[in-house]
Coordinates of all heavy atoms in Angstrom, one line a residue:
M1 N 0.8 -1.2 0.0 CA 0.0 0.0 0.0 C 0.9 1.2 0.0 O 1.8 1.4 0.8 CB -0.9 0.0 1.2 CG -1.9 1.1 1.3 SD -3.1 0.8 2.6 CE -3.0 2.3 3.4
E2 N 0.6 2.1 -0.9 CA 1.4 3.3 -1.0 C 0.7 4.5 -0.4 O -0.5 4.7 -0.7 CB 1.7 3.6 -2.5 CG 2.7 4.6 -2.8 CD 3.1 4.7 -4.2 OE1 3.2 3.6 -4.9 OE2 3.2 5.8 -4.7
G3 N 1.4 5.3 0.4 CA 0.8 6.5 1.0 C 0.8 7.7 0.1 O 1.4 7.7 -1.0
Q4 N 0.1 8.6 0.6 CA -0.1 9.9 -0.2 C 1.3 10.6 -0.1 O 1.8 10.8 1.0 CB -1.2 10.7 0.4 CG -1.4 12.0 -0.4 CD -2.6 12.8 0.2 OE1 -3.2 12.4 1.2 NE2 -2.9 13.9 -0.4
Q5 N 1.7 11.1 -1.3 CA 3.0 11.9 -1.3 C 2.7 13.3 -1.6 O 1.9 13.6 -2.5 CB 3.9 11.3 -2.4 CG 4.3 9.9 -2.2 CD 5.3 9.8 -1.0 OE1 6.1 10.7 -0.8 NE2 5.2 8.7 -0.2
H6 N 3.3 14.2 -0.9 CA 3.2 15.6 -1.1 C 4.5 16.1 -1.8 O 5.6 15.6 -1.5 CB 3.0 16.4 0.2 CG 1.8 15.9 0.9 ND1 0.5 16.1 0.5 CD2 1.7 15.2 2.1 CE1 -0.3 15.6 1.4 NE2 0.3 15.0 2.3
P7 N 4.4 17.1 -2.7 CA 5.6 17.5 -3.4 C 6.6 18.1 -2.4 O 6.2 18.8 -1.5 CB 5.0 18.5 -4.4 CG 3.7 18.9 -3.9 CD 3.2 17.8 -3.1
V8 N 7.9 17.9 -2.7 CA 8.9 18.4 -1.9 C 8.9 19.9 -1.9 O 9.2 20.6 -0.9 CB 10.3 17.9 -2.3 CG1 11.4 18.5 -1.6 CG2 10.3 16.4 -2.2
G9 N 8.5 20.5 -3.0 CA 8.4 22.0 -3.1 C 7.5 22.6 -2.0 O 7.8 23.7 -1.5
L10 N 6.4 21.9 -1.7 CA 5.6 22.4 -0.6 C 6.3 22.5 0.7 O 6.2 23.5 1.4 CB 4.4 21.5 -0.4 CG 3.4 21.7 0.8 CD1 2.7 23.0 0.5 CD2 2.5 20.6 1.0
Y11 N 7.1 21.5 1.0 CA 7.8 21.5 2.3 C 8.9 22.6 2.3 O 9.2 23.2 3.3 CB 8.4 20.1 2.6 CG 7.4 19.1 2.9 CD1 7.0 18.1 2.0 CD2 6.7 19.2 4.1 CE1 6.1 17.2 2.3 CE2 5.7 18.2 4.4 CZ 5.4 17.3 3.5 OH 4.4 16.3 3.8
L12 N 9.5 22.8 1.1 CA 10.5 23.8 1.0 C 9.9 25.2 1.1 O 10.5 26.1 1.7 CB 11.3 23.7 -0.3 CG 12.2 22.4 -0.5 CD1 12.8 22.4 -1.9 CD2 13.3 22.4 0.6
K13 N 8.7 25.4 0.6 CA 8.1 26.7 0.7 C 7.7 27.0 2.2 O 7.9 28.1 2.6 CB 6.8 26.7 -0.2 CG 7.1 26.8 -1.6 CD 5.8 26.8 -2.4 CE 6.1 26.7 -3.9 NZ 4.9 26.4 -4.7
V14 N 7.2 26.0 2.8 CA 6.8 26.1 4.2 C 8.1 26.4 5.1 O 8.1 27.3 5.9 CB 6.1 24.9 4.8 CG1 5.9 24.9 6.3 CG2 4.7 24.8 4.1
W15 N 9.2 25.7 4.8 CA 10.4 25.9 5.5 C 10.9 27.4 5.3 O 11.3 28.0 6.2 CB 11.5 24.9 5.0 CG 12.8 25.1 5.7 CD1 13.2 24.6 6.9 CD2 13.9 25.9 5.3 NE1 14.4 25.0 7.2 CE2 14.9 25.8 6.2 CE3 14.2 26.6 4.1 CZ2 16.1 26.4 6.1 CZ3 15.4 27.3 4.0 CH2 16.3 27.2 5.0
G16 N 10.8 27.8 4.0 CA 11.2 29.2 3.7 C 10.3 30.2 4.5 O 10.8 31.2 5.0
L17 N 9.0 30.0 4.5 CA 8.1 30.9 5.2 C 8.4 30.8 6.7 O 8.3 31.9 7.4 CB 6.6 30.5 4.9 CG 5.6 31.4 5.4 CD1 5.8 32.8 4.9 CD2 4.2 30.9 4.9
L18 N 8.7 29.7 7.3 CA 9.1 29.6 8.7 C 10.3 30.4 9.0 O 10.5 31.1 10.0 CB 9.2 28.1 9.1 CG 8.0 27.3 9.3 CD1 8.3 25.9 9.5 CD2 7.1 27.8 10.4
F19 N 11.3 30.3 8.0 CA 12.5 31.1 8.2 C 12.2 32.6 8.2 O 12.7 33.3 9.0 CB 13.5 30.7 7.0 CG 14.8 31.5 7.1 CD1 15.8 31.0 8.0 CD2 15.0 32.6 6.3 CE1 17.0 31.7 8.0 CE2 16.2 33.3 6.4 CZ 17.2 32.8 7.2
V20 N 11.3 33.1 7.2 CA 11.0 34.5 7.2 C 10.3 34.9 8.5 O 10.6 36.0 9.0 CB 10.1 34.8 5.9 CG1 9.5 36.1 6.0 CG2 10.9 34.6 4.7
L21 N 9.3 34.1 8.9 CA 8.6 34.4 10.2 C 9.6 34.5 11.4 O 9.5 35.4 12.2 CB 7.5 33.4 10.5 CG 6.3 33.5 9.5 CD1 5.4 32.4 9.7 CD2 5.6 34.8 9.6
S22 N 10.6 33.6 11.4 CA 11.6 33.6 12.5 C 12.4 34.9 12.4 O 12.8 35.5 13.4 CB 12.4 32.4 12.4 OG 11.6 31.2 12.7
A23 N 12.8 35.3 11.1 CA 13.6 36.5 11.0 C 12.8 37.7 11.4 O 13.4 38.6 12.0 CB 14.0 36.6 9.5
L24 N 11.5 37.7 11.1 CA 10.7 38.9 11.6 C 10.6 38.9 13.1 O 10.7 40.0 13.7 CB 9.3 38.8 11.0 CG 9.2 39.0 9.5 CD1 7.7 38.7 9.0 CD2 9.6 40.4 9.2
S25 N 10.5 37.7 13.7 CA 10.5 37.7 15.2 C 11.8 38.2 15.7 O 11.8 38.9 16.7 CB 10.2 36.2 15.6 OG 10.2 36.1 17.0
Y26 N 12.9 37.8 15.1 CA 14.2 38.3 15.5 C 14.3 39.8 15.3 O 14.9 40.5 16.2 CB 15.3 37.6 14.7 CG 16.7 38.1 15.1 CD1 17.3 37.8 16.3 CD2 17.4 38.8 14.2 CE1 18.6 38.2 16.6 CE2 18.7 39.3 14.5 CZ 19.3 39.0 15.7 OH 20.5 39.4 16.0
L27 N 13.7 40.4 14.3 CA 13.8 41.8 14.0 C 13.0 42.6 15.1 O 13.4 43.7 15.4 CB 13.2 42.1 12.6 CG 14.1 41.9 11.4 CD1 13.4 42.2 10.1 CD2 15.3 42.8 11.6
V28 N 12.0 42.0 15.7 CA 11.3 42.7 16.7 C 12.2 43.0 17.9 O 12.2 44.1 18.4 CB 10.1 41.8 17.2 CG1 9.5 42.4 18.5 CG2 9.0 41.7 16.1
D29 N 13.1 42.0 18.2 CA 14.1 42.3 19.2 C 15.2 43.2 18.8 O 15.7 44.1 19.5 CB 14.7 41.0 19.7 CG 13.9 40.2 20.7 OD1 13.0 40.9 21.3 OD2 14.0 39.0 20.7
L30 N 15.6 43.0 17.5 CA 16.7 43.8 17.0 C 16.4 45.3 16.9 O 17.2 46.2 17.1 CB 17.1 43.3 15.6 CG 18.4 43.9 15.0 CD1 19.6 43.4 15.8 CD2 18.6 43.4 13.6
L31 N 15.1 45.6 16.6 CA 14.7 47.0 16.4 C 14.2 47.6 17.7 O 13.7 48.7 17.7 CB 13.5 47.1 15.4 CG 13.9 46.7 13.9 CD1 12.7 46.7 13.0 CD2 15.0 47.6 13.4
H32 N 14.3 46.8 18.8 CA 14.0 47.3 20.2 C 12.5 47.8 20.2 O 12.2 48.8 20.8 CB 14.9 48.4 20.6 CG 16.3 48.0 20.6 ND1 16.8 47.1 21.5 CD2 17.4 48.4 19.8 CE1 18.1 46.9 21.2 NE2 18.5 47.7 20.2
V33 N 11.6 47.0 19.7 CA 10.2 47.3 19.8 C 9.8 47.0 21.2 O 10.2 46.0 21.8 CB 9.4 46.4 18.8 CG1 7.9 46.7 19.0 CG2 9.8 46.7 17.4
E34 N 9.1 47.9 21.9 CA 8.8 47.8 23.3 C 7.3 47.8 23.5 O 6.5 48.2 22.7 CB 9.4 48.9 24.1 CG 10.9 48.9 24.1 CD 11.6 47.7 24.7 OE1 11.0 47.2 25.7 OE2 12.6 47.3 24.3
G35 N 6.9 47.3 24.7 CA 5.5 47.4 25.2 C 4.6 46.4 24.6 O 5.0 45.3 24.2
L36 N 3.3 46.8 24.5 CA 2.3 45.9 24.0 C 2.5 45.4 22.6 O 2.2 44.3 22.2 CB 0.9 46.5 24.2 CG -0.3 45.7 23.8 CD1 -0.4 44.5 24.8 CD2 -1.6 46.5 24.0
L37 N 3.0 46.4 21.7 CA 3.3 46.0 20.3 C 4.3 44.9 20.2 O 4.1 44.0 19.4 CB 3.8 47.3 19.6 CG 4.2 47.0 18.1 CD1 2.9 46.6 17.3 CD2 4.8 48.3 17.5
R38 N 5.3 44.9 21.1 CA 6.4 43.9 21.0 C 5.7 42.5 21.3 O 5.9 41.5 20.6 CB 7.4 44.2 22.1 CG 8.4 43.0 22.3 CD 9.2 43.3 23.6 NE 10.0 42.2 23.9 CZ 11.3 42.1 23.6 NH1 11.9 43.2 23.1 NH2 12.0 41.1 24.0
W39 N 4.9 42.4 22.4 CA 4.4 41.1 22.7 C 3.3 40.7 21.8 O 3.1 39.5 21.5 CB 3.8 41.2 24.2 CG 5.0 41.3 25.1 CD1 5.3 42.4 25.9 CD2 6.0 40.4 25.4 NE1 6.4 42.2 26.6 CE2 6.9 40.9 26.3 CE3 6.3 39.1 24.9 CZ2 8.0 40.3 26.8 CZ3 7.4 38.4 25.4 CH2 8.2 39.0 26.3
T40 N 2.6 41.6 21.2 CA 1.6 41.3 20.2 C 2.3 40.7 18.9 O 1.8 39.7 18.4 CB 0.7 42.5 19.8 OG1 0.1 43.0 21.0 CG2 -0.3 42.2 18.8
L41 N 3.3 41.3 18.5 CA 4.1 40.8 17.3 C 4.7 39.5 17.6 O 4.6 38.6 16.8 CB 5.1 41.8 16.9 CG 4.7 43.1 16.3 CD1 5.8 44.1 16.1 CD2 4.0 42.8 14.9
I42 N 5.3 39.3 18.7 CA 6.0 38.0 19.1 C 4.9 36.9 19.1 O 5.1 35.8 18.6 CB 6.8 38.2 20.4 CG1 8.0 39.0 20.1 CG2 7.1 36.8 20.9 CD1 8.8 39.3 21.4
L43 N 3.8 37.2 19.8 CA 2.8 36.1 19.9 C 2.1 35.8 18.5 O 1.8 34.7 18.2 CB 1.7 36.5 20.9 CG 2.2 36.5 22.4 CD1 1.1 37.0 23.3 CD2 2.6 35.1 22.8
A44 N 1.9 36.8 17.7 CA 1.3 36.6 16.4 C 2.2 35.8 15.5 O 1.8 34.9 14.8 CB 0.9 38.0 15.8
L45 N 3.5 36.2 15.5 CA 4.5 35.4 14.7 C 4.6 34.0 15.2 O 4.7 33.0 14.4 CB 5.8 36.1 14.7 CG 5.8 37.4 14.0 CD1 7.1 38.2 14.2 CD2 5.7 37.2 12.5
M46 N 4.6 33.8 16.6 CA 4.7 32.5 17.1 C 3.5 31.6 16.7 O 3.6 30.4 16.4 CB 4.7 32.6 18.7 CG 4.8 31.2 19.4 SD 4.6 31.3 21.1 CE 2.9 32.0 21.3
M47 N 2.3 32.2 16.8 CA 1.1 31.5 16.4 C 1.1 31.1 14.9 O 0.6 30.0 14.5 CB -0.2 32.3 16.8 CG -0.4 32.5 18.3 SD -0.6 30.9 19.2 CE -2.3 30.7 18.9
A48 N 1.6 32.0 14.1 CA 1.6 31.7 12.7 C 2.6 30.6 12.4 O 2.3 29.7 11.6 CB 2.1 33.0 11.9
K49 N 3.7 30.6 13.0 CA 4.6 29.5 12.9 C 4.0 28.1 13.4 O 4.2 27.1 12.7 CB 6.0 29.7 13.6 CG 6.8 30.8 12.9 CD 8.2 31.0 13.5 CE 8.2 31.5 14.9 NZ 9.5 31.8 15.4
A50 N 3.4 28.2 14.5 CA 2.8 26.9 15.0 C 1.7 26.4 14.1 O 1.6 25.2 13.9 CB 2.2 27.2 16.4
A51 N 0.9 27.4 13.5 CA -0.2 27.0 12.6 C 0.4 26.3 11.4 O -0.2 25.3 10.9 CB -1.0 28.2 12.3
L52 N 1.5 26.9 10.8 CA 2.1 26.3 9.7 C 2.6 24.9 10.0 O 2.4 23.9 9.2 CB 3.3 27.1 9.2 CG 2.9 28.2 8.2 CD1 4.1 29.1 7.9 CD2 2.5 27.6 6.9
I53 N 3.3 24.7 11.1 CA 3.8 23.4 11.4 C 2.7 22.4 11.6 O 2.8 21.3 11.1 CB 4.7 23.5 12.7 CG1 6.0 24.3 12.4 CG2 5.0 22.2 13.3 CD1 6.7 24.8 13.6
V54 N 1.7 22.8 12.3 CA 0.5 21.8 12.6 C -0.2 21.5 11.2 O -0.5 20.3 11.0 CB -0.4 22.4 13.6 CG1 -1.7 21.7 13.6 CG2 0.2 22.5 15.0
A55 N -0.4 22.5 10.4 CA -1.1 22.3 9.2 C -0.4 21.4 8.2 O -0.9 20.5 7.6 CB -1.5 23.6 8.5
V56 N 0.9 21.7 8.0 CA 1.7 21.0 6.9 C 2.4 19.8 7.5 O 2.3 18.7 6.9 CB 2.6 22.0 6.2 CG1 3.4 21.2 5.2 CG2 1.8 23.1 5.6
F57 N 3.2 20.0 8.5 CA 4.1 18.9 8.9 C 3.3 17.8 9.7 O 3.7 16.6 9.8 CB 5.3 19.4 9.7 CG 6.2 20.2 8.9 CD1 6.4 21.5 9.1 CD2 6.8 19.6 7.8 CE1 7.3 22.3 8.4 CE2 7.7 20.4 7.0 CZ 7.9 21.7 7.3
M58 N 2.2 18.2 10.4 CA 1.4 17.2 11.1 C 0.2 16.8 10.2 O -0.7 16.1 10.6 CB 0.9 17.8 12.4 CG 2.0 18.0 13.4 SD 1.4 18.7 14.9 CE 0.4 17.4 15.6
H59 N 0.2 17.2 9.0 CA -0.8 16.8 7.9 C -2.2 17.1 8.3 O -3.1 16.5 7.8 CB -0.6 15.4 7.6 CG 0.8 15.0 7.2 ND1 1.3 15.3 6.0 CD2 1.8 14.3 7.9 CE1 2.6 14.9 5.9 NE2 2.9 14.3 7.1
L60 N -2.5 18.1 9.1 CA -3.9 18.4 9.5 C -4.6 19.2 8.3 O -5.8 19.2 8.3 CB -3.9 19.3 10.8 CG -3.7 18.5 12.0 CD1 -3.9 19.4 13.2 CD2 -4.6 17.3 12.1
R61 N -3.8 19.7 7.4 CA -4.4 20.5 6.3 C -5.2 19.5 5.5 O -6.2 19.9 4.8 CB -3.3 21.1 5.5 CG -3.8 21.8 4.3 CD -2.6 22.5 3.6 NE -3.1 23.1 2.4 CZ -2.3 23.5 1.4 NH1 -1.0 23.3 1.4 NH2 -2.8 24.1 0.3
W62 N -4.9 18.2 5.4 CA -5.6 17.3 4.6 C -6.5 16.4 5.4 O -7.0 15.4 4.8 CB -4.5 16.5 3.8 CG -3.7 17.3 3.0 CD1 -4.0 17.8 1.7 CD2 -2.4 17.8 3.3 NE1 -3.0 18.6 1.3 CE2 -2.0 18.6 2.2 CE3 -1.5 17.7 4.4 CZ2 -0.7 19.3 2.2 CZ3 -0.3 18.4 4.3 CH2 0.1 19.2 3.2
E63 N -6.7 16.6 6.6 CA -7.6 15.8 7.5 C -9.0 16.3 7.5 O -9.3 17.4 7.0 CB -7.0 15.7 8.9 CG -5.7 15.0 9.1 CD -5.8 13.5 8.8 OE1 -6.9 13.0 8.9 OE2 -4.8 13.0 8.4
R64 N -9.9 15.5 8.0 CA -11.3 15.8 8.2 C -11.4 17.0 9.2 O -10.6 17.1 10.1 CB -12.1 14.7 8.7 CG -12.2 13.6 7.7 CD -13.1 12.5 8.2 NE -13.4 11.5 7.1 CZ -14.0 10.4 7.3 NH1 -14.4 10.1 8.5 NH2 -14.2 9.6 6.3
L65 N -12.5 17.7 9.0 CA -12.7 18.9 9.9 C -12.9 18.4 11.4 O -12.4 19.1 12.3 CB -14.0 19.6 9.5 CG -14.4 20.8 10.3 CD1 -13.3 21.9 10.2 CD2 -15.7 21.4 9.8
A66 N -13.5 17.2 11.6 CA -13.7 16.8 13.0 C -12.3 16.6 13.7 O -12.2 16.9 14.8 CB -14.4 15.4 13.0
L67 N -11.3 16.0 13.0 CA -10.0 15.8 13.6 C -9.3 17.1 13.8 O -8.7 17.3 14.9 CB -9.2 14.9 12.7 CG -7.8 14.6 13.2 CD1 -7.9 13.8 14.6 CD2 -7.0 13.8 12.2
V68 N -9.5 18.0 12.9 CA -8.9 19.4 13.1 C -9.5 20.0 14.3 O -8.7 20.6 15.1 CB -9.1 20.2 11.8 CG1 -8.6 21.6 12.0 CG2 -8.3 19.6 10.6
C69 N -10.8 19.9 14.5 CA -11.4 20.5 15.6 C -11.0 19.9 16.9 O -10.8 20.6 17.9 CB -12.9 20.4 15.5 SG -13.6 21.5 14.2
V70 N -10.7 18.6 16.9 CA -10.3 17.9 18.1 C -8.9 18.4 18.5 O -8.5 18.5 19.7 CB -10.3 16.4 17.9 CG1 -9.5 15.6 19.0 CG2 -11.7 15.9 17.9
V71 N -8.0 18.7 17.6 CA -6.7 19.1 17.8 C -6.6 20.6 18.1 O -5.8 21.1 19.0 CB -5.8 18.8 16.7 CG1 -4.4 19.3 16.8 CG2 -5.7 17.3 16.5
V72 N -7.4 21.5 17.5 CA -7.3 22.9 17.6 C -8.1 23.5 18.7 O -7.7 24.4 19.4 CB -7.6 23.6 16.2 CG1 -7.7 25.1 16.3 CG2 -6.6 23.1 15.2
I73 N -9.3 23.1 18.9 CA -10.3 23.7 19.8 C -9.8 23.6 21.3 O -9.8 24.6 22.0 CB -11.7 23.2 19.6 CG1 -12.2 23.7 18.3 CG2 -12.6 23.6 20.8 CD1 -13.6 23.2 17.9
P74 N -9.4 22.4 21.8 CA -9.0 22.4 23.2 C -7.8 23.4 23.6 O -7.9 24.1 24.6 CB -8.6 20.9 23.5 CG -9.4 20.2 22.5 CD -9.4 21.1 21.3
P75 N -6.7 23.4 22.8 CA -5.7 24.4 23.2 C -6.2 25.9 23.1 O -5.8 26.7 23.9 CB -4.6 24.2 22.2 CG -4.8 22.8 21.7 CD -6.2 22.6 21.7
T76 N -7.1 26.1 22.1 CA -7.6 27.5 22.0 C -8.5 27.8 23.3 O -8.4 28.9 23.8 CB -8.5 27.6 20.8 OG1 -7.7 27.3 19.6 CG2 -9.0 29.0 20.6
A77 N -9.3 26.8 23.7 CA -10.1 27.0 24.9 C -9.2 27.3 26.1 O -9.5 28.1 27.0 CB -11.0 25.9 25.1
L78 N -8.1 26.5 26.2 CA -7.2 26.7 27.4 C -6.6 28.1 27.3 O -6.4 28.7 28.4 CB -6.1 25.6 27.3 CG -6.6 24.2 27.7 CD1 -5.5 23.2 27.5 CD2 -7.1 24.2 29.2
L79 N -6.2 28.6 26.2 CA -5.6 29.9 26.1 C -6.6 31.0 26.5 O -6.3 31.9 27.2 CB -5.1 30.2 24.7 CG -3.8 29.5 24.3 CD1 -3.6 29.7 22.8 CD2 -2.7 30.0 25.1
V80 N -7.9 30.8 26.1 CA -8.9 31.8 26.5 C -9.1 31.7 28.0 O -9.2 32.8 28.6 CB -10.2 31.5 25.7 CG1 -11.4 32.3 26.3 CG2 -10.1 31.8 24.2
L81 N -9.2 30.6 28.5 CA -9.4 30.4 30.0 C -8.2 31.0 30.8 O -8.4 31.7 31.8 CB -9.7 29.0 30.4 CG -11.0 28.4 29.9 CD1 -11.1 26.9 30.2 CD2 -12.2 29.2 30.5
A82 N -7.0 30.8 30.3 CA -5.8 31.3 30.9 C -5.8 32.8 30.9 O -5.5 33.5 31.8 CB -4.6 30.7 30.3
G83 N -6.3 33.4 29.7 CA -6.4 34.8 29.6 C -7.4 35.4 30.6 O -7.2 36.5 31.2
M84 N -8.5 34.7 30.7 CA -9.6 35.1 31.7 C -9.0 35.1 33.1 O -9.3 36.0 33.9 CB -10.8 34.3 31.5 CG -11.5 34.5 30.2 SD -12.9 33.3 29.9 CE -13.9 33.6 31.3
M85 N -8.3 34.0 33.4 CA -7.7 33.9 34.8 C -6.7 35.0 35.1 O -6.6 35.6 36.2 CB -7.0 32.6 35.0 CG -8.0 31.5 35.2 SD -7.3 29.9 35.6 CE -6.0 29.7 34.5
A86 N -5.9 35.4 34.0 CA -4.9 36.5 34.2 C -5.6 37.8 34.4 O -5.2 38.6 35.3 CB -4.0 36.5 33.0
T87 N -6.7 38.0 33.7 CA -7.4 39.3 33.9 C -8.1 39.3 35.2 O -8.0 40.4 35.9 CB -8.5 39.4 32.8 OG1 -8.0 39.3 31.5 CG2 -9.3 40.7 32.9
E88 N -8.6 38.2 35.7 CA -9.2 38.2 37.0 C -8.2 38.4 38.1 O -8.4 39.0 39.1 CB -10.0 36.9 37.3 CG -10.8 37.0 38.6 CD -11.6 35.7 38.8 OE1 -11.6 34.8 37.9 OE2 -12.3 35.7 39.9
S89 N -7.0 37.8 37.9 CA -6.0 37.9 38.9 C -5.5 39.4 39.1 O -5.2 39.8 40.2 CB -4.8 37.0 38.6 OG -4.1 37.5 37.5
D90 N -5.4 40.1 38.0 CA -5.1 41.5 38.0 C -6.2 42.3 38.8 O -5.9 43.2 39.6 CB -4.9 42.1 36.6 CG -3.6 41.7 36.0 OD1 -2.7 41.2 36.7 OD2 -3.6 41.8 34.7
Y91 N -7.4 41.9 38.6 CA -8.5 42.6 39.2 C -8.5 42.3 40.7 O -8.6 43.3 41.6 CB -9.8 42.1 38.6 CG -11.1 42.6 39.4 CD1 -11.5 43.9 39.4 CD2 -11.8 41.7 40.2 CE1 -12.6 44.3 40.1 CE2 -12.9 42.1 40.9 CZ -13.3 43.4 40.8 OH -14.4 43.8 41.5
I92 N -8.3 41.1 41.1 CA -8.2 40.7 42.6 C -7.0 41.4 43.2 O -7.1 41.9 44.3 CB -8.1 39.2 42.7 CG1 -9.4 38.5 42.2 CG2 -7.9 38.8 44.2 CD1 -10.7 38.9 42.9
F93 N -5.9 41.4 42.5 CA -4.7 42.1 43.1 C -4.9 43.5 43.3 O -4.5 44.1 44.4 CB -3.5 41.9 42.2 CG -2.2 42.5 42.7 CD1 -1.5 41.9 43.7 CD2 -1.7 43.6 42.1 CE1 -0.3 42.4 44.2 CE2 -0.6 44.2 42.6 CZ 0.1 43.6 43.7
S94 N -5.6 44.2 42.4 CA -5.8 45.6 42.5 C -6.8 45.9 43.7 O -6.7 46.9 44.4 CB -6.3 46.3 41.2 OG -7.5 45.7 40.8
L95 N -7.8 45.0 43.8 CA -8.8 45.1 44.9 C -8.1 45.0 46.3 O -8.3 45.7 47.2 CB -9.9 44.1 44.8 CG -11.1 44.5 44.0 CD1 -12.1 43.3 44.0 CD2 -11.7 45.7 44.4
R96 N -7.2 44.0 46.4 CA -6.5 43.7 47.6 C -5.5 44.9 47.9 O -5.2 45.2 49.1 CB -5.7 42.4 47.6 CG -6.7 41.3 47.7 CD -6.0 39.9 47.8 NE -7.0 38.9 47.8 CZ -6.7 37.6 47.8 NH1 -5.4 37.2 47.7 NH2 -7.6 36.7 47.9
S97 N -5.0 45.5 46.9 CA -4.1 46.7 47.1 C -4.9 47.9 47.6 O -4.4 48.7 48.4 CB -3.3 47.0 45.8 OG -2.5 45.9 45.4
L98 N -6.1 48.0 47.0 CA -6.9 49.1 47.4 C -7.5 49.0 48.8 O -7.6 50.0 49.5 CB -8.1 49.3 46.3 CG -8.9 50.5 46.3 CD1 -8.0 51.7 46.1 CD2 -10.0 50.4 45.3
Y99 N -7.9 47.8 49.1 CA -8.5 47.5 50.5 C -7.7 46.5 51.2 O -8.1 45.3 51.3 CB -10.0 47.0 50.3 CG -10.9 48.0 49.5 CD1 -11.3 47.7 48.2 CD2 -11.3 49.2 50.1 CE1 -12.1 48.6 47.5 CE2 -12.1 50.0 49.4 CZ -12.5 49.8 48.1 OH -13.3 50.6 47.5
P100 N -6.6 46.9 51.8 CA -5.8 45.9 52.6 C -6.6 45.5 53.9 O -7.4 46.2 54.4 CB -4.5 46.6 52.9 CG -4.9 48.1 52.8 CD -6.0 48.2 51.8
R101 N -6.2 44.4 54.4 CA -6.8 43.9 55.6 C -6.4 44.6 56.8 O -5.4 45.0 57.2 CB -6.6 42.4 55.8 CG -7.4 41.6 54.8 CD -7.2 40.2 55.1 NE -8.3 39.5 54.4 CZ -8.5 38.2 54.5 NH1 -7.7 37.5 55.2 NH2 -9.5 37.6 53.9

């Protein structure tokens, strides 16, 4: 039984795009971008690289939607919940600072 073969050119293009995204991530540090813009750019580039790796090298691009949802939705939900916890922790910390015991 012979498996599905993808053209080598596809993998080379993805490798090149990952190289460009990594170079852009390095430029964020090199250009001394600071504050919220820095972290937004770093996280966006990181997520783009992760999406490329998952889609092409883990072959999720060619899988059924149900399998893609099983792999993508739980980490996304965890990120949303972690963001909500971080927001609530800032709120609780500010309340405790405002009204000490």
Side-chain angles (χ1 to χ4, degrees):
M1 185 168 127
E2 192 172 318
Q4 182 179 4
Q5 296 291 323
H6 302 292
V8 174
L10 172 69
Y11 292 108
L12 292 175
K13 288 175 188 173
V14 170
W15 181 84
L17 190 53
L18 287 170
F19 181 80
V20 169
L21 290 172
S22 295
L24 289 173
S25 182
Y26 178 71
L27 279 175
V28 170
D29 281 336
L30 190 66
L31 296 175
H32 302 294
V33 178
E34 296 296 328
L36 185 62
L37 178 62
R38 171 192 174 102
W39 294 110
T40 302
L41 288 172
I42 288 174
L43 289 175
L45 291 168
M46 178 190 64
M47 294 298 278
K49 290 189 291 186
L52 268 173
I53 291 168
V54 167
V56 177
F57 294 118
M58 293 179 66
H59 305 285
L60 284 185
R61 179 178 177 197
W62 299 280
E63 292 294 336
R64 291 183 172 173
L65 182 60
L67 181 62
V68 173
C69 289
V70 165
V71 172
V72 173
I73 290 176
T76 304
L78 287 174
L79 285 173
V80 168
L81 291 173
M84 291 170 62
M85 287 189 309
T87 303
E88 185 178 2
S89 69
D90 286 341
Y91 171 71
I92 297 297
F93 181 75
S94 62
L95 272 181
R96 288 185 179 175
S97 299
L98 189 60
Y99 301 108
R101 287 186 164 181

